[in-house]
Amino acid sequence: MRAIAVSTFRSDPSLVEVPKPEPGPGEVRIRIEYASVNPHDWQLTDGTLDGLAPQTFPLVVGADYAGRVDMIGSGDNRFRVGDHVFGRSGGPAAGAGTYCDYVCVPQDSAIALVPRGLDSRIAAALPSAGMAAAQILEAVELRGHESLLVVGAAGGVGSCLTQLAKARDVRVIAAVRGNERSRMGSLGAAATIDVTEGPAADAIRAACPDGIDALADLASASPEAFAAHAEALRPGAIALSTRAVAAAARLPGRVRGIDFRLDPSPVLLDVLAAGAADGILRVPVDIELPLEKAPQALDRNRTGGARGKTVIVLRDHGHR
Ligand SMILES: NC(=O)c1ccc[n+]([C@@H]2O[C@H](COP(=O)([O-])OP(=O)(O)OC[C@H]3O[C@@H](n4cnc5c(N)ncnc54)[C@H](OP(=O)(O)O)[C@@H]3O)[C@@H](O)[C@H]2O)c1
């Protein structure tokens, strides 16, 4: 089958032929229609997995997918051949990358049926970004009418988080690079700050003079940059990082730092997919590319500038 894979950590991903996987006991094999790009995909091949566990190369990239179950492994299984499914595989670490024609995943992993009315490409864009957004919103422990500063709000996680927070009457202050006021406003942001226009701290203070109730920082790669954003928080607030920099940050007194880790869940996938099918949650797809262009998609995501999700097309089934 076709796959986008790396031959060593830090090597360039390329299109290769690899054996089609066979489902083991309790697994399903999925014929992939669409995969979506997450920063995690290139972060892994850039070396975050290096030394953690023995890996078999070539390592197939990717984790999010949508497609059809085409084979069932032995034993009990909640799926049937032909089911339209989507989910997040264990990714390259589990030998289950998704930038390829087929993937095998455990039937009790983060996999769910695509509900009627949800486009397969949107389903593929949803798992990592949607689940992260929902779990971040729980982790920051906000009630309605409180304020949430989202740094890096224009990307996959930020676009979903802004909508889910707004649906709970949380006041979202979206910090982005560039003029995204209209787009972030349409997703539900109460205020949008362009951090390239001047000191972010001044703009945040102007948008929320009484202080911010929680921070979800999806962008800052250094403890210092993260701590600077946390300066805007009220005492007792939570400052959450998705980039694993909270533990090392010198946070203002009485601000609690959290390093977020996604905990993939099939139940959460069901809830998110229902919201997306009903139009309550919009998953913005800004780029669609064929499999052979996936290496460019990874480069592009690494450079920045995401305005929603990039979807890799394995088999185009049109909109349904
Ligand atoms: N720990 C976990 O379990 C977990 C789970 C999900 C995601 N994550 C991480 O969370 C991060 C975001 O994920 P994602 O899927 O949303 O990525 P994404 O779709 O690539 O979006 C990232 C966004 O951040 C913006 N950005 C970058 N630097 C910025 C800055 N200094 N100020 C404001 N905006 C900035 C980017 O746009 P510009 O470049 O134009 O600014 C882009 O819109 C990634 O690093 C990802 O690996 C971690």
Side-chain angles (χ1 to χ4, degrees):
M1 67 170 183
R2 301 171 301 159
I4 298 294
V6 291
S7 54
T8 62
F9 287 118
R10 290 169 285 278
S11 64
D12 289 334
S14 62
L15 184 62
V16 294
E17 282 289 321
V18 297
K20 193 166 159 178
E22 295 293 322
E27 288 190 336
V28 292
R29 186 172 71 190
I30 296 131
R31 186 169 188 254
I32 297 177
E33 295 172 353
Y34 302 97
S36 73
V37 175
N38 290 289
H40 197 57
D41 301 344
W42 54 260
Q43 289 163 358
L44 286 186
T45 56
D46 279 2
T48 51
L49 265 185
D50 201 353
L52 288 185
Q55 298 295 335
T56 309
F57 291 96
L59 204 63
V60 180
V61 185
D64 285 359
Y65 64 86
R68 296 263 168 197
V69 173
D70 95 314
M71 199 173 179
I72 304 272
S74 61
D76 288 344
N77 211 294
R78 64 193 172 106
F79 294 100
R80 283 183 297 189
V81 169
D83 279 349
H84 187 197
V85 294
F86 76 114
R88 183 182 196 270
S89 77
T98 57
Y99 293 9
C100 59
D101 287 313
Y102 295 88
V103 68
C104 291
V105 298
Q107 60 97 26
D108 58 357
S109 64
I111 170 173
L113 292 173
V114 177
R116 194 173 291 278
L118 182 61
D119 190 289
S120 197
R121 75 199 71 210
I122 304 296
L126 184 58
S128 295
M131 288 193 290
Q135 291 179 346
I136 288 168
L137 190 55
E138 293 303 323
V140 294
E141 297 175 6
L142 287 182
R143 291 183 296 272
H145 307 295
E146 292 183 313
S147 53
L148 172 65
L149 172 62
V150 182
V151 180
V157 177
S159 296
C160 292
L161 178 57
T162 300
Q163 295 172 76
L164 296 177
K166 162 75 178 169
R168 286 206 193 164
D169 282 333
V170 168
R171 191 164 181 272
V172 174
I173 315 302
V176 299
R177 292 193 291 203
N179 183 1
E180 296 294 323
R181 273 185 190 88
S182 146
R183 204 177 81 79
M184 293 314 303
S186 76
L187 295 174
T192 301
I193 291 163
D194 178 355
V195 299
T196 64
E197 271 180 347
D202 294 351
I204 293 164
R205 216 171 292 115
C208 263
D210 297 333
I212 303 272
D213 296 303
L215 163 68
D217 191 333
L218 318 173
S220 298
S222 73
E224 293 74 24
F226 176 69
H229 289 125
E231 289 293 336
L233 293 172
R234 288 193 180 129
I238 289 177
L240 176 149
S241 164
T242 61
R243 312 273 325 250
V245 294
R250 289 169 64 101
L251 296 174
R254 297 189 56 218
V255 167
R256 184 150 58 95
I258 294 180
D259 279 314
F260 173 76
R261 264 194 92 110
L262 177 64
D263 180 15
S265 138
V267 175
L268 185 50
L269 286 179
D270 278 332
V271 173
L272 291 165
D278 289 346
I280 297 164
L281 175 63
R282 276 188 286 143
V283 188
V285 172
D286 63 346
I287 306 168
E288 281 184 42
L289 292 167
L291 182 65
E292 59 274 19
K293 294 272 175 63
Q296 287 96 308
L298 288 164
D299 275 347
R300 195 177 165 144
N301 185 262
R302 188 191 280 107
T303 309
R307 297 294 176 263
K309 299 292 297 177
T310 296
V311 168
I312 314 273
V313 182
L314 280 300
R315 277 165 204 85
D316 198 357
H317 283 251
H319 292 269
R320 54 181 162 204

